[in-house]
Amino acid sequence: MRLGVLGGTFDPVHFGHLRLAESARETDPLELDKVLFIPAGQPWRKSNRAVSDPTHRAAMLSLAMEGNAAFEMSTLELERGGPTYTVDTLEVLHDRYPGSDLTLILGADALADLPNWREPERILALARPAVASRHNSTDGELERQALPAGALERVLWVRMEPLEISGSDIRDKVRRGLSIRYLLPDVVRLYIEEHRLYLD
Ligand code: ATP
Ligand code: MG
């Protein structure tokens, strides 16, 4: 099986994540059978801000993925507790899906941050990185420069229409009373309203 892995805080999940997963799935020669969305438990790279309750983030994710048979959520990082390390997650998936090809799906900002993660070389040995630009730069030009040494050969560039949507911007808009319509699935927007998320 060809398995795509998309980790994130998903606070909240939005069309940027969904198009990233869908575009990675279709990127030749990937043809992923499945994309696993893995919400991070306690993202250690984001310890400077409070991340919403995992129950909310997982609920929004499953609402957003509804109707796409190739999308699945794994709560393994939520169950593990403690800080989230991608390398541990990939080790677990490697054992859980023996003989599968693992592809780590990343936005370019996440790839640039990779050298700061735990065991980046092991990560690259366990999974092939599939990366999409988050800006309107041609062919990942900007991102290439920020790559960890030796990673370039392993990277598969995902063709995706640039969507400048981020969780931070959505949270900020909610806080300021601005509309978040058309940035994320309506079911997720309604969930945010119903549970009064991001208002503080
Ligand atoms: P935040 O603003 O809180 O950091 P985010 O929108 O960046 O939220 P994350 O959960 O941090 O979402 O991102 C998970 C993964 O999805 C990362 O690899 C990130 O690069 C990627 N990603 C998020 N938004 C986009 C987007 N609009 N286009 C491409 N990739 C994206
Ligand atoms: Mg981010």
Side-chain angles (χ1 to χ4, degrees):
M1 185 165 63
R2 294 160 186 263
L3 189 65
V5 176
L6 175 53
T9 38
F10 302 112
D11 196 15
V13 60
H14 53 68
F15 285 135
H17 300 126
L18 296 167
R19 281 302 302 172
L20 172 61
E22 189 73 346
S23 311
R25 202 174 61 75
E26 287 186 328
T27 295
D28 190 49
L30 279 182
E31 286 171 37
L32 301 172
D33 299 304
K34 198 190 277 189
V35 177
L36 267 188
F37 288 67
I38 309 188
Q42 197 181 301
W44 61 285
R45 299 285 296 156
K46 289 185 179 176
S47 47
N48 53 333
R49 75 163 187 93
V51 171
S52 301
D53 193 294
T55 321
H56 287 315
R57 293 186 287 116
M60 292 188 281
L61 205 41
S62 55
L63 286 170
M65 293 182 334
E66 233 162 67
N68 191 329
F71 287 1
E72 226 175 80
M73 173 170 57
S74 163
T75 54
L76 80 94
E77 291 193 357
L78 301 180
E79 281 143 23
R80 197 160 57 212
T84 287
Y85 296 111
T86 301
V87 68
D88 299 337
T89 301
L90 292 176
E91 297 280 11
V92 170
L93 294 175
H94 189 75
D95 294 344
R96 198 175 286 181
Y97 299 92
S100 291
D101 273 349
L102 296 182
T103 299
L104 182 64
I105 304 169
L106 299 165
D109 60 312
L111 179 72
D113 194 38
L114 189 73
N116 304 314
W117 297 8
R118 181 186 265 198
E119 296 188 61
E121 266 142 44
R122 182 79 188 131
I123 291 176
L124 294 171
L126 285 162
R128 176 159 193 197
V131 181
S133 174
R134 286 190 77 166
H135 319 279
N136 206 346
S137 62
T138 33
D139 202 22
E141 195 62 56
L142 279 173
E143 287 77 24
R144 265 166 224 273
Q145 300 161 9
L147 274 182
L152 182 60
E153 309 74 58
R154 298 269 294 150
V155 171
L156 196 87
W157 293 96
V158 173
R159 253 176 210 279
M160 169 184 162
E161 55 291 289
L163 288 176
E164 289 215 34
I165 303 175
S166 72
S168 330
D169 179 55
I170 290 172
R171 294 191 302 274
D172 188 56
K173 282 190 161 64
V174 173
R175 207 171 297 123
R176 290 158 57 207
L178 299 173
S179 167
I180 55 168
R181 260 191 139 151
Y182 316 122
L183 294 174
L184 72 185
D186 257 348
V187 279
V188 178
R189 178 175 61 84
L190 294 172
Y191 185 98
I192 292 171
E193 286 174 12
E194 188 187 332
H195 295 269
R196 305 184 54 78
L197 302 183
Y198 313 126
L199 284 175
D200 51 76

